[in-house]
Amino acid sequence: MIYLDNAATTLRKPPQVIDAVVRAMTDMGNAARGAHSGALEAMRTVYNARVKLAKLFGCPRPDHVVFTANATEALNIAISGILRPGDHVITTSCEHNSVLRPLYRMEAERGVELSFVPADAQGRVDYEDFERLMCPNTRAIVCTHASNLTGNILDITRIGEIAHRHGALLIADASQTAGAIPIDMEAMLISVLCFTGHKGLMGPQGVGGLCIRPGVEIAPWKVGGSGIHSYDKQQPAEYPTRLEAGTLNGHGIAGLSAALDFINEVGLDAIEKKEHMLMDRFFQAVSAMEGVTVYGDFTQARRSAIVSLNIRDYDSAAISDELSETYGIATRPGAHCAPRMHQALGTMDQGAVRFSFSWFNTEEDVDAAIQAVQELTVE
Amino acid sequence: MRKKEPALIITFATTAAAMEAESFCLSRQLPGRIIPVPREITAGCGLAWKAPVEAEEQITAELKKAGLLWSAMRVLEV
């Protein structure tokens, strides 16, 4: 199989990630439960992963790196833990349902008012809209760093500056960029960064998290076993324990930690450059084909390694199935959990076929995909 | 059971803080190791740094210099 569905999850992982998970499942106890060698091994592993993530994302404090099951859980924790009745939130049409649905729930349950920065037919936003939509009660801007459908990057630094100037928080969804595009919470003025570990970070599924700028208060979404302060009726107030009730996915975190070592060895710049090269090779070829419509802004110098397209008026599901069955190429058709983005692109009925590239893809993979698309355009 | 002897016991608010302190102490070759918090101390995260009593001044100074926080520091028979 030629795997080009890396925006859903990276299927190929560095071998040391698999080794680390196996080792963890052999040696590790429960982090923060006891002080025997197995528990300490788990605690050290988890702590070291926090340190590496804090460094990667420019989070000032490792103890403000909180582990969750995935980005969706991180976003739910951030959104439900920050927003209060009467708050106003600005978000965008580029968002995944992992942002939209928690916000819709806040709208329904807490009376939170939502405003949307629209996207144009190429998935671009106008940054003046963030400024225009600001209200005295705007509590936060919640937005993605890159669209999971078009791959367009949003200028988080510019959005962070607007949020900061108006006294609002910036909750950023880095699902498509963590491990693939540089992120610096301090420079970008990000209040809460939500990430997943199994996409660009190349770790196992089941680990994500949020990095919290010191001073940002998030009420716990779940409470329970913390391994500490067991006689208190309330969840401990200190991060990360405040938001980490229950046993962590220590085995997955061990894998993620090994993946972070791999990324540091290879270098984030090298990863970004290679993925961009593969994406651009594919884009240049398919965008010149008659009958192919490519979505997104490819004038951006920096973007997520995603190319979404349609061939004539064919159902995207049928194209993706043909790519899989006839050519052994894995892609993602349909709506990609991004309803407003498809609305903006005018692809709600047809969906789109998403090709997404990773460090482990090759030019041969790309050329095979180009050849397959070419053949499908003439059938 | 081992014979009880006086030791310096330092507790921390979270396990992350305890791990940070352990990592720091090991990197500076400060004496001690992580143990479960003795029942005499109720503050803290369940983990404590146990060190020789005579190391108190050195450890305190180093932790303060690095800006690392602890919940409680006591000498106990453990």
Side-chain angles (χ1 to χ4, degrees):
Chain A
M1 173 174 54
I2 296 173
Y3 187 79
L4 299 178
D5 195 16
N6 295 285
T9 193
T10 43
L11 187 145
R12 278 208 55 200
K13 311 290 186 187
Q16 49 268 57
V17 172
I18 297 156
D19 292 345
V21 174
V22 171
R23 204 163 46 247
M25 294 187 77
T26 310
D27 298 337
M28 266 176 44
N30 191 337
R33 307 292 190 273
H36 52 77
S37 60
L40 285 173
E41 175 69 14
M43 273 181 265
R44 289 177 190 127
T45 300
V46 169
Y47 177 70
N48 288 333
R50 294 190 208 278
V51 171
K52 292 172 196 173
L53 287 163
K55 191 174 172 204
L56 180 67
F57 296 138
C59 181
R61 290 179 57 166
D63 63 357
H64 280 45
V65 176
V66 172
F67 285 112
T68 63
N70 45 49
T72 296
E73 187 174 276
L75 285 158
N76 271 272
I77 289 170
I79 288 168
S80 72
I82 286 175
L83 298 182
R84 300 170 298 213
D87 283 344
H88 171 246
V89 170
I90 299 171
T91 187
T92 80
S93 290
C94 307
E95 306 307 317
H96 188 277
N97 271 337
S98 57
V99 166
L100 295 173
R101 285 179 174 159
L103 286 176
Y104 291 143
R105 187 162 76 166
M106 291 299 102
E107 184 180 40
E109 294 179 1
R110 295 187 192 169
V112 168
E113 187 190 347
L114 304 181
S115 296
F116 288 87
V117 171
D120 67 14
Q122 284 184 282
R124 297 172 301 195
V125 297
D126 179 351
Y127 294 94
E128 294 299 319
D129 284 339
F130 288 94
E131 197 82 57
R132 186 176 56 76
L133 291 169
M134 274 290 173
C135 297
N137 62 333
T138 303
R139 176 98 168 116
I141 296 174
V142 187
C143 80
T144 188
H145 189 194
S147 162
N148 70 312
L149 176 53
T150 64
N152 287 2
I153 290 271
L154 274 75
D155 187 345
I156 287 291
T157 306
R158 189 166 172 187
I159 297 167
E161 191 277 321
I162 295 168
H164 184 71
R165 187 152 33 81
H166 289 270
L169 301 174
L170 171 58
I171 301 170
D173 172 10
S175 296
Q176 293 301 333
T177 53
I181 307 272
I183 294 169
D184 184 335
M185 285 182 71
E186 286 289 286
M188 293 171 159
L189 298 170
I190 296 170
S191 311
V192 183
L193 180 80
C194 300
F195 66 91
T196 190
H198 69 99
K199 296 185 179 183
L201 288 173
M202 295 186 274
Q205 295 174 6
V207 181
L210 55 163
C211 298
I212 306 163
R213 177 186 285 270
V216 175
E217 298 298 333
I218 302 177
W221 179 55
K222 56 179 178 179
V223 294
S226 57
I228 67 172
H229 302 293
S230 294
Y231 293 98
D232 293 351
K233 286 185 176 175
Q234 308 297 325
Q235 186 73 8
E238 294 85 3
Y239 291 132
T241 311
R242 185 198 297 193
L243 303 176
E244 285 184 347
T247 295
L248 291 173
N249 180 358
H251 303 144
I253 292 169
L256 176 60
S257 189
L260 291 161
D261 290 339
F262 176 82
I263 289 169
N264 285 329
E265 282 163 26
V266 173
L268 193 56
D269 288 347
I271 291 171
E272 182 185 12
K273 199 172 166 187
K274 180 178 176 185
E275 291 183 355
H276 190 94
M277 179 273 291
L278 294 171
M279 176 210 67
D280 195 54
R281 186 181 182 93
F282 183 72
F283 168 73
Q284 295 298 341
V286 297
S287 60
M289 292 178 192
E290 195 202 336
V292 174
T293 306
V294 178
Y295 304 98
D297 178 9
F298 285 81
T299 64
Q300 289 187 327
R302 169 169 275 166
R303 67 193 321 287
S304 194
I306 289 170
V307 180
S308 289
L309 58 80
N310 274 315
I311 300 175
R312 306 196 194 285
D313 61 350
Y314 300 150
D315 181 356
S316 64
I319 294 292
S320 185
D321 187 51
E322 187 71 9
L323 286 165
S324 176
E325 290 299 306
T326 305
Y327 300 96
I329 297 172
T331 60
R332 169 97 187 269
H336 313 91
C337 306
R340 284 180 173 263
M341 193 74 259
H342 275 286
Q343 199 169 16
L345 301 178
T347 50
M348 284 185 77
D349 291 335
Q350 194 176 8
V353 186
R354 183 181 68 185
F355 297 75
S356 48
F357 305 91
S358 94
W359 168 258
F360 286 108
N361 285 126
T362 64
E363 291 177 57
E364 288 73 27
D365 292 343
V366 172
D367 292 345
I370 292 168
Q371 180 67 28
V373 173
Q374 178 68 65
E375 288 178 18
L376 290 171
T377 60
V378 294
E379 282 183 1
Chain B
M1 286 291 284
R2 283 172 297 189
K3 190 180 166 220
K4 289 188 175 184
E5 289 178 357
L8 179 68
I9 304 296
I10 306 170
T11 63
F12 305 92
T14 64
T15 51
M19 288 298 102
E20 187 177 16
E22 182 195 49
S23 174
F24 175 78
C25 288
L26 293 176
S27 71
R28 301 294 165 96
Q29 296 184 314
L30 296 170
R33 68 180 179 91
I34 290 283
I35 63 162
V37 175
R39 63 183 174 185
E40 289 89 340
I41 301 180
T42 54
C45 68
L47 298 176
W49 185 254
K50 177 189 171 191
V53 176
E54 56 272 21
E56 179 173 355
E57 200 174 319
Q58 183 193 13
I59 292 175
T60 308
E62 292 278 359
L63 290 177
K64 276 184 182 168
K65 199 160 68 180
L68 298 181
L69 302 175
W70 62 87
S71 296
M73 186 180 298
R74 283 172 59 184
V75 173
L76 291 173
E77 294 256 339
V78 290

